[in-house]
Amino acid sequence: MKYNVPVIPGDGIGPEIVAEGCKVLEAAADKYSFSLDWKEYSLGAEHYLETGELVAEDTLKELSKYPAIFLGAIGDPRVKPGILEKGVLLTMRFYFDQYINLRPVKLLEGVWTPLKDKTPQDIDFVVVRENTEDFYIGIGSRARRGKSHADFEIKRSLYNIKFGLDIDSDSEEIGYQIGEVSREGCSRVIKYAFDLAMKRRHQVSSVDKANVLSDIYGFWREVFLDVAAGYPQVKHDFNFVDAITMWFVKNPEWFDVVVAPNMFGDIITDLGAMIQGGLGLAPGANLNPDGTSMFEPIHGSAPKYKGQNKVNPLATIWAGALLLEHLGQPRAASDIVTAIERNLIEGRIKTYDLGGSSTTSEVGSEIARLVGLV
Ligand code: IPM
Ligand code: MN
């Protein structure tokens, strides 16, 4: 069996960590007698600075033929913040309609958590972040004093929406951003969360701010309840986003599957990463179960560490394991996670963030070696 997998190393530390990811996935492929054929795409800052192009429509079309993409990180200090993140990363998430952003929060054996007295038994949940709507739709602008008009359009495979906005303001200048969630969009991601809970501990926690942003998140809650009615075996609860940050720290053992709108999901998963040992250990998957999915660490491109062979590749390697699981190689995937765990318990070969002094590539090689042994 041969899998063709597009790889986007991206910016900053992206190329270094992705190289280790590929190394480990190849070791797992050898073990289980399948092969991986990587096809590299040079998207990100270099490509943008050379050509002025973010990502070409033809590239997106070509990528959409594959079930899974392996991604490093996007973002570079030479480019104004947001240009690459929105123009490359979010463009791909939206174009491929990757409506699920799956972020496991699992404390592995051998990892230190800043939460006192919490163990791997206590920190083991999954955040299912909606990945195409909410305040990420890019609808907003600025307006100066007086009358003005603005037109916006949201184009998705699910729907097209046009907004026309008449503004009459006597403020010197305003900035505004419109959030939007749809019944279809909420329903499909919440359903995914309930299906996942059926395979886990049968509990789904919703995140919102329905007490203040009641139009958008009151609607989210309503759709949540509609979906929940179809899963009588699964318990559910509602959490305001501010409160859930507190519970993640105080009682992480309460959670099984947490489902959140896009922006809150973004915020709470950085907190989630920290309680599972840091950003160096937090993988993510952007999923479209019927299309092209994309696997990446949840951390960014860490430009200040670029080219130093210093950063932790484990989040990317773990994201690679999620990729193999998605491609239908669950045993290869679970061996990679076991190898990561073995490495962490042994505690010999680890990067600086975990208190060690090994290099990125030493850690990658060690995980690849362990994959052969576990
Ligand atoms: C993430 C990142 C992105 C996001 C940025 C880089 C656009 O923070 O994947 O969590 O906000 O989704
Ligand atoms: Mn984020």
Side-chain angles (χ1 to χ4, degrees), residues 15 20 33 42 48 73 91 113 137 153 162 175 182 193 248 337 341:
E20 300 317 306
S33 308
S42 58
Y48 175 66
T91 296
T113 173
I137 54 175
E153 188 166 9
K162 290 187 176 141
S182 67
F248 273 14
V337 178
E341 230 160 345

Side-chain angles (χ1 to χ4, degrees), residues 268-332:
I268 64 173
T269 49
D270 268 26
L271 176 59
M274 210 30 83
I275 67 173
Q276 73 184 110
L279 281 165
L281 280 159
N286 303 278
L287 302 175
N288 175 342
D290 312 306
T292 300
S293 299
M294 193 161 72
F295 299 80
E296 57 172 336
I298 87 159
H299 62 68
S301 58
K304 74 173 179 187
Y305 294 116
K306 178 182 175 164
Q308 294 178 28
N309 198 16
K310 182 173 175 181
V311 296
N312 192 343
L314 291 180
T316 311
I317 294 171
W318 192 348
L322 298 176
L323 184 152
L324 290 186
E325 193 179 334
H326 184 78
L327 289 179
Q329 295 290 344
R331 289 197 302 160

Side-chain angles (χ1 to χ4, degrees), residues 52-121:
E53 176 189 79
L54 289 158
V55 47
E57 179 77 22
D58 281 352
T59 308
L60 292 169
K61 277 217 181 85
E62 195 179 312
L63 287 169
S64 67
K65 291 192 221 126
Y66 300 92
I69 300 170
F70 200 19
L71 171 68
I74 300 286
D76 187 290
R78 291 170 295 172
V79 182
K80 209 172 114 208
I83 302 281
L84 296 168
E85 291 85 341
K86 287 197 279 184
V88 181
L89 181 60
L90 297 187
T91 296
M92 291 196 291
R93 287 179 184 170
F94 297 164
Y95 185 90
F96 303 124
D97 200 22
Q98 293 162 341
Y99 61 91
I100 300 143
N101 192 328
L102 191 73
R103 298 186 159 182
V105 179
K106 185 171 160 61
L107 179 66
L108 299 181
E109 291 291 344
V111 178
W112 179 83
T113 173
L115 302 189
K116 190 169 178 294
D117 301 332
K118 298 295 178 189
T119 67
Q121 280 69 50

Side-chain angles (χ1 to χ4, degrees), residues 7-11 13-15 17-18 40-43 70-74:
V7 183
I8 306 173
D11 300 319
I13 57 167
I17 52 178
V18 158
E40 198 168 310
Y41 287 78
S42 58
L43 297 175
F70 200 19
L71 171 68
I74 300 286

Side-chain angles (χ1 to χ4, degrees), residues 142-148 167-175:
R142 290 157 69 149
R144 292 188 180 277
R145 180 175 291 133
K147 291 191 180 181
S148 56
I167 305 168
D168 185 353
S169 160
D170 65 0
S171 153
E172 183 189 338
E173 189 175 12
I174 59 168

